[in-house]
Amino acid sequence: MSVEAIERNGKAAEKTNNPLGIDNFFSEEQFERLQELMYPKQAEAGSYLFWEGEPTGKLYYIKSGKVKLRKSTEEGKDFILSILQAGDLLCEPEDGMRAVHSFSAEVVENADIGVIQWKDLEILLYRHGEFAVRFMNWMALMHRVTDSKFRDLLLFGKPGALASTLIRLANTYGVAGPDGIRIRLKLTNSELADFIGTTRESVNRMLSGLRDEGTIDIRKGRIVILSLNALKQICHCPSCPACPKEVCRI
């Protein structure tokens, strides 16, 4: 990495502990090339990196913090598409036909961001073929994640969609312990409802049912999954390698 790049970033970004982060798709040298394109941005909780309908042209690498992706309908209803964490890359490139964002990116936890101009990344992709192939592999995985979410939301009703969401939360933010998988991310029932396109009251009833069955528990406002297999049965979760952990994420 050049001295100029390090000065621009303040310091070289380090690899994160996120096993699903984009840094895992590149060699150390390739990831450094990506870091050289980044310029630093501090984003406070409650702010937005961009709004739905604003021009695209930038990518956002999350060094720390969390970012929630929201999609709004014409009727004014909000859906939560994902909650990104350190190591994730937020990328919605121009495709030649559309040059505006199709969702909004809300900062929900103070974040340290590396911003990349899409035109700078294009030059890197042109110059380094192996880097381009690995970047394409990452984008293909992101498409698989999106496709699998739509499958779970559409095929097995709201209980299946909720079960799928809880499994994805466990894979992304879960900590396994002797008494179950504790989801570190604290979410309200309204936020869970926004993940699956239903009402808070419906989520309340479904969570109560899962708790009565011994599938989950709620401790200090956080969900603990007691039986992952029970959730998998509800949403007809395909077994690995058909749906690896890298795909089954929130």
Side-chain angles (χ1 to χ4, degrees):
M1 176 180 283
S2 67
V3 174
E4 292 80 5
I6 295 176
E7 290 176 347
R8 183 171 66 232
N9 286 299
K11 65 176 181 178
E14 297 178 352
K15 286 199 171 189
T16 67
N17 293 322
N18 178 2
L20 307 180
I22 191 172
D23 50 281
N24 292 289
F25 283 77
F26 298 107
S27 68
E28 184 175 346
E29 180 182 356
Q30 290 168 338
F31 188 58
E32 284 184 355
R33 290 196 183 108
L34 187 64
Q35 291 169 228
E36 290 180 4
L37 303 181
M38 300 179 189
Y39 61 87
K41 176 181 176 65
Q42 302 295 320
E44 296 183 354
S47 63
Y48 280 76
L49 296 179
F50 54 80
W51 291 87
E52 184 175 349
E54 288 186 348
T56 57
K58 296 178 183 177
L59 300 88
Y60 302 86
Y61 176 73
I62 303 173
K63 301 177 185 178
S64 65
K66 292 183 176 63
V67 177
K68 181 188 297 181
L69 307 186
R70 287 185 172 274
K71 174 71 177 177
S72 299
T73 67
E74 293 181 357
E75 293 77 22
K77 183 173 179 56
D78 274 355
F79 289 89
I80 298 177
L81 303 178
S82 184
I83 298 179
L84 305 182
Q85 60 179 317
D88 287 329
L89 180 69
L90 176 49
C91 170
E92 194 176 17
E94 298 180 11
D95 57 13
M97 295 178 290
R98 173 181 48 80
V100 297
H101 287 290
S102 59
F103 52 79
S104 301
E106 177 189 2
V107 180
V108 294
E109 184 181 285
N110 289 348
D112 183 14
I113 307 291
V115 183
I116 303 169
Q117 296 286 345
W118 177 250
K119 59 184 179 181
D120 292 336
L121 179 61
E122 280 188 324
I123 295 173
L124 183 60
L125 294 172
Y126 282 128
R127 289 179 176 175
H128 301 279
E130 186 178 351
F131 179 94
V133 170
R134 295 201 180 192
F135 188 81
M136 288 172 60
N137 290 340
W138 172 79
M139 291 195 71
L141 175 64
M142 295 300 102
H143 283 300
R144 286 188 65 190
V145 171
T146 301
D147 289 345
S148 67
K149 286 182 180 179
F150 281 128
R151 175 199 66 202
D152 293 344
L153 288 173
L154 295 175
L155 295 185
F156 304 110
K158 298 306 180 186
L162 178 60
S164 168
T165 298
L166 293 177
I167 294 171
R168 292 173 187 277
L169 285 168
N171 287 339
T172 312
Y173 294 103
V175 178
D179 56 347
I181 303 173
R182 179 177 178 269
I183 297 175
R184 293 178 289 109
L185 187 64
K186 190 172 184 179
L187 296 170
T188 66
N189 289 0
S190 294
E191 288 174 316
L192 284 173
D194 287 344
F195 270 112
I196 64 176
T198 190
T199 63
R200 177 178 57 83
E201 291 76 16
S202 294
V203 168
N204 290 346
R205 289 193 296 269
M206 288 188 285
L207 288 177
S208 295
L210 292 173
R211 194 173 185 179
D212 293 341
E213 294 166 3
T215 303
I216 68 166
D217 196 6
I218 299 176
R219 302 168 188 168
K220 297 182 179 180
R222 286 178 169 80
I223 296 173
V224 179
I225 297 176
L226 305 177
S227 176
L228 195 62
N229 285 333
L231 292 177
K232 289 181 178 181
Q233 291 176 4
I234 295 172
C235 63
H236 301 264
C237 184
S239 59
C240 295
C243 185
K245 188 175 181 180
E246 291 80 9
V247 172
C248 188
R249 56 167 295 176
I250 202 66

